[in-house]
């Protein structure tokens, strides 16, 4: 019968029976080591102790839970239980001998040798049994992997994986010289330079990164060094997830875009984060979107009195409301959550909501943001992005909302598409309102692509890699700024608190990234190769499909060079041209009339008139159109 298939109770009985046989045998060895012999007189003298040994020890072991431990999952912590159990049982045996004979004729050395020998036997028997069960259950036959990082996390990961049937750690890699050459958890530590040879020699199939507390910049350099090896790389969860208990060290995951591009987060200013939120009534428009939903999560952590969610999509609103209800319980936040189905174009409805719930801060994230879709549906894009912002701003002023923060985009800078120009026009509306009144402080926060948003290329690339390619890239030289969605949301909340009226805040997005380089790194860290002329054996091709309608090669964050710093190292304040409200409102009325009449030609002409920086992509059709429509673009601007 296979012992693995025995029930838990039967296994415990077998373990107790084995101890019942070997513990007296261990005592015999202790007697033999003390007297150098085992004669009949010694056996008669110690015979009753040989019988008492298992009778005393096994109940002690049961009481301490030694038999409850699952052998396949024991670790070094069991040694403490073994030492405690053996020590207590030896003390009881000594007490019995003292009570019965006052230790006359007994050697104290026998008890000392037995104590050491019994500890060695009980501990060794458990670890030998663990190895046997691991081998019989197939755990020892997992895929050979190297663990990068021989610190505490790496040690925990190695121990956890030794009980796993999926991975078998065969080497540690660490850049610390004091650890190189050492043996940890039975595994040798090597230098990173030895990795290429180790991969061949030990047939390593994956590298597991076990450095959750290492700075992002250092992790990124390590990944850059691993990329040429073209071996699949996985990572342990971030240290925050481990500390909070949301993940275990053995929960290895795919390399995320944050690992490739992420930077060390700047600790948020909690006073700024809470200034416009704590104990206040707050509204988020577009609450079900990628940015809006993350804003809601961050806002809830600041303990608002009330959080109002405005969203057009029923499913998106249901999803975020359910998630926030769960998060509210986890965080023990006593905030009222109120979901509203509706559009930002419903001015009267929005005003009533703002008045009824005495909203003090509005984060306006509702927008259509997919460049090609808005380019093909310009009237809907303008209605939602421009007229929706106008509607919400008027509702906020009528309800005397104190702060109104617009979530803008880097595509509003010298836009070449309808989406970007519509967001720039939304900025101009709020800038104009800031000059006409002081009760509502309007501000805008402009940033680039956020990782994990609905329009991000990363999920698409990962899906294409899993399907065997090809990866579709629009242009070899296209670059984009990237930021994690949580960092962007935190910076939006802090920037909004700095607003004095009409401010355009620009977030420091770091360095722009070539999209083709990003795709190549994702392929290599998946253990695959790009198929090009130099590597014809590669499995993943990159297909260049051309720029989409309205798409730019390079994005910018500033229209001009007039920018100043703020109290936050990642937030800047831009000084840019504005259009007076007296002139802008007439232009907006014309634009709205053109939208109502579905006059695409007029809509396009109005965008060119109002957004001075708007320069559509100039293909042959654009060239002919612009020659036929000499649009007057003379507009008064103010600083």
């Amino acid at each position: 019968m296979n012992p693995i298939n025995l029930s838990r109770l039967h296994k415990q009985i077998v373990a107790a029976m084995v101890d019942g046989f070997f513990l007296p045998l261990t005592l015999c060895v202790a007697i033999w080591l003390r007297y150098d012999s085992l004669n009949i007189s010694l056996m008669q003298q110690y015979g009753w102790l040989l019988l008492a040994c298992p009778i005393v020890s096994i109940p002690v072991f049961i009481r301490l839970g030694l038999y409850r431990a699952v052998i396949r999952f024991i670790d070094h912590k069991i040694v403490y239980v073994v030492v405690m159990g053996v020590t207590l049982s030896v003390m009881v045996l000594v007490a019995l001998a003292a009570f019965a004979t006052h230790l006359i004729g007994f050697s104290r050395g026998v008890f000392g040798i037995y104590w050491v020998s019994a500890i060695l036997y009980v501990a060794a028997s458990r670890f030998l049994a663990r190895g046997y069960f691991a081998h019989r259950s197939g755990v020892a036959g997992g895929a050979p992997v190297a663990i990068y990082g021989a610190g505490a996390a790496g040690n925990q990961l190695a121990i956890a994986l030794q009980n796993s049937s999926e991975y078998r750690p065969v080497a540690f890699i660490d850049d610390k010289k004091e650890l190189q050459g050492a043996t940890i958890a039975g595994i040798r530590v090597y230098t990173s330079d030895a990795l290429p040879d180790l991969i061949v020699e030990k047939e390593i199939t994956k590298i597991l990164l076990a450095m959750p507390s290492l700075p992002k910049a250092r992790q990124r350099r390590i990944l850059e060094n691993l990329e040429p090896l073209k071996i699949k790389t996985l990572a342990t969860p971030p240290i925050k997830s481990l500390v909070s208990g949301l993940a275990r060290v053995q929960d290895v995951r795919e390399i995320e875009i944050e690992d490739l591009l992420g930077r060390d987060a700047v600790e948020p200013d909690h006073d700024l984060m809470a200034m416009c939120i704590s104990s206040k009534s707050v509204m988020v428009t577009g609450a079900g979107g990628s940015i809006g939903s993350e804003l809601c999560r961050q806002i809830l952590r600041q303990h608002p009195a009330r959080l109002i969610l405005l969203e057009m999509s029923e499913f998106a609103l249901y999803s975020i409301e359910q998630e926030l209800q769960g998060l509210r319980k986890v965080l023990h936040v006593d905030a009222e959550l109120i979901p509203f189905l509706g559009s930002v174009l419903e001015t009267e409805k929005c005003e009533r909501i703002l008045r009824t719930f005495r909203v003090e801060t509005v984060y306006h994230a509702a927008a259509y943001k997919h460049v090609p879709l808005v380019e093909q549906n310009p009237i809907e894009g303008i209605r939602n992005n421009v007229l929706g912002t106008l509607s919400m701003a008027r509702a906020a002023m009528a309800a005397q909302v104190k702060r109104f923060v617009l979530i803008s985009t880097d595509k509003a800078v010298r836009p070449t598409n309808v989406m970007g120009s519509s967001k720039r026009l939304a900025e101009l509306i709020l800038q104009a309102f800031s000059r006409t009144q002081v009760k509502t402080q309007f501000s805008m926060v402009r940033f680039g692509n956020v990782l994990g948003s609905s329009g991000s290329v990363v999920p698409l690339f990962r899906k294409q890699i899993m399907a065997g390619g090809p990866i579709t890239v629009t242009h070899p030289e296209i670059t984009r700024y990237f930021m994690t969605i949580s960092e962007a949301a935190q910076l939006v909340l802090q920037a909004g608190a700095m607003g004095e009226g009409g401010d355009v805040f620009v977030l420091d997005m770091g360095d722009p990234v070539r999209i083709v380089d990003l795709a190549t790194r994702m392929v290599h860290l998946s253990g695959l190769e790009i198929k090009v002329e130099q590597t014809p054996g590669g499995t993943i091709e990159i297909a260049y499909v051309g720029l989409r309608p309205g798409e730019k090669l390079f994005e910018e964050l500033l229209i001009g060079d007039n920018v100043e710093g703020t109290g936050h190292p990642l937030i800047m304040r831009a000084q840019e041209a504005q259009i007076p409200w007296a002139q802008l409102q007439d232009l907006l009325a014309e634009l709205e009339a053109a939208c109502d009449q579905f006059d695409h030609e007029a809509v396009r002409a109005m965008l060119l008139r109002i957004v001075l920086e708007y320069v559509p992509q100039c293909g042959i059709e654009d060239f002919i159109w612009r020659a036929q429509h000499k649009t007057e673009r003379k507009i008064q601007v103010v600083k």
Side-chain angles (χ1 to χ4, degrees):
M1 178 183 292
N2 188 343
I4 293 178
N5 298 328
L6 294 175
S7 66
R8 289 282 305 126
L9 179 60
H10 287 155
K11 289 178 181 177
Q12 291 170 349
I13 293 173
V14 168
M17 291 174 62
V18 170
D19 287 343
F21 174 78
F22 279 102
L23 285 173
L25 190 61
T26 303
L27 182 56
C28 288
V29 171
I31 296 170
W32 175 72
L33 290 173
R34 170 65 182 81
Y35 294 105
D36 290 329
S37 64
L38 275 179
N39 52 47
I40 296 176
S41 63
L42 283 173
M43 296 304 293
Q44 289 176 343
Q45 181 179 349
Y46 285 92
W48 69 274
L49 276 180
L50 293 174
L51 295 175
C53 179
I55 296 174
V56 168
S57 300
I58 291 175
V60 172
F61 292 170
I62 292 173
R63 186 74 180 88
L64 292 178
L66 190 60
Y67 296 117
R68 290 198 303 270
V70 180
I71 294 297
R72 276 183 291 175
F73 303 119
I74 61 171
D75 55 19
H76 62 280
K77 295 177 184 177
I78 200 172
V79 175
Y80 171 80
V81 180
V82 169
V83 171
M84 179 67 69
V86 172
T87 301
L88 289 175
S89 63
V90 169
M91 290 173 63
V92 172
L93 288 175
V94 171
L96 288 174
F99 177 77
T101 65
H102 301 286
L103 295 179
I104 297 173
F106 289 92
S107 170
R108 291 171 177 79
V110 169
F111 292 105
I113 296 171
Y114 170 70
W115 178 72
V116 174
S117 302
I119 289 173
L120 292 175
Y121 151 69
V122 177
S125 64
R126 267 60 184 175
F127 284 104
L128 286 172
R130 187 186 73 171
Y132 169 78
F133 283 123
H135 178 75
R136 289 298 300 270
S137 63
V139 169
V145 298
I147 298 176
Y148 204 120
N155 188 16
Q156 292 178 45
L157 179 60
I159 293 171
L161 294 182
Q162 285 171 353
N163 299 312
S164 165
S165 59
E166 188 173 1
Y167 301 121
R168 176 167 51 90
V170 295
F172 273 118
I173 307 297
D174 206 291
D175 297 320
K176 293 181 180 178
K177 292 185 178 180
E178 60 269 24
L179 293 177
Q180 292 166 0
T183 300
I184 298 175
I187 305 167
R188 186 174 177 182
V189 182
Y190 297 86
T191 66
S192 55
D193 294 336
L195 252 178
D197 295 331
L198 286 172
I199 290 172
V200 177
E201 178 186 337
K202 297 183 178 291
E203 300 179 340
I204 293 172
T205 59
K206 293 182 178 70
I207 295 176
L208 311 182
L209 298 182
M211 303 170 295
S213 60
L214 206 63
K216 287 281 187 183
R218 178 64 185 137
Q219 290 187 33
R220 193 165 58 249
R221 286 196 295 270
I222 289 173
L223 288 171
E224 289 171 355
N225 294 334
L226 292 177
E227 182 190 342
L229 300 176
K230 300 178 182 63
I231 184 169
K232 191 171 181 64
T233 306
L234 303 173
T236 51
I239 193 68
K240 286 184 178 180
S241 300
L242 298 175
V243 171
S244 64
L246 296 176
R248 301 169 299 168
V249 71
Q250 62 265 37
D251 293 334
V252 292
R253 56 176 175 80
E254 298 282 341
I255 292 295
E256 300 288 350
I257 188 66
E258 289 88 343
D259 301 309
L260 299 177
L261 305 178
R263 56 187 174 181
D264 294 327
V266 174
E267 188 67 24
D269 184 327
H270 295 288
D271 291 337
L272 278 179
M273 290 275 287
M275 184 182 296
C276 305
I277 299 169
S278 181
S279 302
K280 291 179 170 59
S281 183
V282 181
M283 172 188 271
V284 176
T285 70
S290 50
I291 294 293
S293 60
E294 182 61 27
L295 282 172
C296 291
R297 297 181 193 103
Q298 298 289 346
I299 288 169
L300 201 60
R301 288 181 167 87
Q302 303 306 316
H303 296 261
R306 183 182 297 111
L307 177 55
I308 298 167
L309 318 174
L310 182 63
E311 172 61 52
M312 283 198 305
S313 167
E314 179 189 25
F315 177 73
L317 183 62
Y318 171 79
S319 298
I320 187 61
E321 195 261 342
Q322 290 297 304
E323 180 186 342
L324 294 176
Q325 291 289 4
L327 183 61
R328 188 168 66 93
K329 293 178 182 178
V330 171
L331 298 175
H332 305 290
V333 175
D334 186 22
E336 187 180 5
L337 285 177
I338 306 175
F340 279 102
L341 270 174
S343 168
V344 291
L345 288 164
E346 300 174 272
T347 309
E348 185 177 346
K349 175 179 179 177
C350 292
E351 182 185 336
R352 287 195 176 193
I353 294 172
L354 296 172
R355 284 186 184 278
T356 302
F357 297 102
R358 296 184 178 88
V359 173
E360 297 178 67
T361 307
V362 172
Y363 294 96
H364 181 48
Y368 290 145
K369 61 183 180 180
H370 293 273
V371 170
L373 287 179
V374 176
E375 201 70 12
Q376 293 169 354
N377 301 271
I379 291 177
E380 288 306 315
I382 290 169
R383 282 187 188 279
N384 197 48
N385 296 0
V386 178
L387 302 180
T389 301
L390 177 63
S391 168
M392 276 304 304
R394 282 174 167 162
M397 289 187 294
Q400 298 186 355
V401 171
K402 291 182 179 178
R403 289 183 185 267
F404 187 105
V405 183
L406 169 69
I407 311 304
S408 192
T409 170
D410 57 353
K411 293 174 179 61
V413 179
R414 280 183 274 273
T416 59
N417 50 66
V418 175
M419 195 284 280
S421 60
S422 69
K423 293 298 285 185
R424 177 57 185 148
L425 184 45
E427 292 180 354
L428 289 169
I429 291 170
L430 299 193
Q431 288 175 312
F433 279 148
S434 294
R435 288 177 171 266
T436 63
Q437 52 82 57
V438 294
K439 290 184 178 179
T440 301
Q441 289 185 351
F442 291 100
S443 58
M444 297 126 270
V445 186
R446 188 188 290 164
F447 53 92
N449 298 276
V450 290
L451 305 173
S453 70
S454 58
S456 175
V457 298
V458 177
L460 174 63
F461 284 174
R462 186 173 291 118
K463 183 178 179 180
Q464 290 173 337
I465 291 170
M466 292 177 64
I471 293 178
T472 54
V473 179
T474 55
H475 192 282
E477 298 302 323
I478 193 168
T479 65
R480 288 293 180 265
Y481 291 98
F482 287 96
M483 176 182 283
T484 64
I485 196 166
S486 60
E487 183 182 17
Q490 289 178 0
L491 291 174
V492 165
L493 300 184
Q494 293 172 84
M498 298 178 183
E500 298 172 356
D503 308 85
V504 178
F505 292 105
V506 180
L507 304 188
D508 181 356
M509 301 289 295
D511 298 322
V513 178
R514 289 177 74 226
I515 299 300
V516 67
D517 292 342
L518 173 61
T520 301
R521 295 174 68 184
M522 289 181 67
V523 170
H524 287 168
L525 291 172
S526 297
L528 302 172
E529 177 61 280
I530 298 290
K531 186 176 182 179
V532 291
E533 186 177 342
Q534 295 82 359
T535 53
T539 55
I540 304 292
E541 290 185 86
I542 293 182
Y544 296 104
V545 297
L547 291 174
R548 299 174 296 178
E551 192 169 35
K552 296 167 68 174
L553 270 182
F554 311 102
E555 298 291 2
E556 306 167 272
L557 290 169
L558 293 171
I559 295 175
D561 298 324
N562 192 3
V563 64
E564 60 184 30
T566 66
H568 196 288
L570 298 183
I571 301 175
M572 299 171 287
R573 182 183 278 107
Q575 302 294 333
E576 295 178 351
Q578 305 177 19
I579 301 176
W581 176 244
Q583 185 178 9
L584 184 58
Q585 64 178 337
D586 294 334
L587 296 169
L588 289 172
E590 290 184 49
L591 179 63
E592 185 173 7
C595 289
D596 291 340
Q597 295 167 14
F598 297 97
D599 188 342
H600 288 78
E601 296 287 325
V603 165
R604 196 171 190 182
M606 288 304 302
L607 280 182
L608 285 167
R609 283 181 62 192
I610 304 172
V611 183
L612 300 182
E613 307 87 6
Y614 177 34
V615 181
Q617 285 181 323
C618 196
I620 185 62
E621 293 182 1
D622 285 318
F623 183 82
I624 295 171
W625 187 92
R626 293 173 74 179
Q628 294 173 344
H629 300 76
K630 295 181 180 179
T631 307
E632 180 62 50
R633 305 184 73 182
K634 293 181 180 179
I635 290 180
Q636 178 191 356
V637 295
V638 294
K639 294 291 186 181

